Amino acid sequence: MDDHTNASSPPEGFAEMDLTGEFWRMSGPFYQRNAANPTEQAFLAGSRYCNARGFVHGGMLSAFLDRLFSHAVAAATDRANTVTVHLSVDFLAAAKIDQWVVGESQVTRATRDVVFVEGRIHSGGRDVVRGSGVFKITRTPSS
């Protein structure tokens, strides 16, 4: 049975995202509050995201944070191609199975070559993760 089949509705204002990339389609569904400004995203913590203790795995939270950041960076740079060069993740508490996990991010600085972003993930009324990232703007070679 799919983890999402009997799930509660997403938090208010969130709609399912149209996912690209096999990893994210396989990992989803994911939701965002505003398609034009994708700085808030969420997922329901089903069993496939959790460790044996029923907590969302740190690897899942890190991947979600990186994806959340990359969407904020894309929006702030008019969809420039970027790659993660640094991701800092602080684990503050556990996100538990069957809870909504919500991430919020914001670009704090952008230069010609790099973009800085920070954010947090919360669930069950408390912060679970906070983090920051640095993204390199890549240039495609001239023809």
Side-chain angles (χ1 to χ4, degrees):
M1 176 184 246
D2 180 52
D3 285 326
H4 187 65
T5 303
N6 294 320
S8 63
S9 297
E12 186 175 337
F14 281 80
E16 190 167 346
M17 298 173 70
D18 184 23
L19 301 171
T20 59
E22 188 62 26
F23 178 79
W24 293 111
R25 283 194 299 273
M26 202 170 57
S27 302
F30 294 95
Y31 300 80
Q32 64 187 9
R33 190 180 303 267
N34 181 347
N37 184 18
T39 59
E40 292 180 281
Q41 297 178 9
F43 69 94
L44 182 65
S47 61
R48 65 186 169 152
Y49 301 122
C50 295
N51 61 26
R53 296 177 61 199
F55 301 142
V56 177
H57 193 281
M60 176 61 192
L61 293 170
S62 297
F64 178 63
L65 187 68
D66 185 50
R67 182 174 193 280
L68 175 70
F69 285 174
S70 69
H71 279 238
V73 168
T77 60
D78 202 22
R79 306 282 178 225
N81 291 324
T82 62
V83 294
T84 308
V85 295
H86 178 78
L87 183 67
S88 176
V89 182
D90 297 322
F91 298 99
L92 308 173
K96 299 176 184 169
I97 193 168
D98 295 331
Q99 290 181 336
W100 280 95
V101 177
V102 178
E104 302 169 1
S105 63
Q106 66 179 12
V107 169
T108 57
R109 182 171 175 233
T111 71
R112 187 174 79 83
D113 297 315
V114 293
V115 181
F116 300 84
V117 61
E118 61 184 31
R120 72 183 185 117
I121 297 173
H122 55 96
S123 181
R126 63 179 173 220
D127 283 352
V128 174
V129 168
R130 78 171 162 229
S132 61
V134 179
F135 289 74
K136 171 81 171 146
I137 297 174
T138 61
R139 311 254 187 264
T140 55
S142 301
S143 308

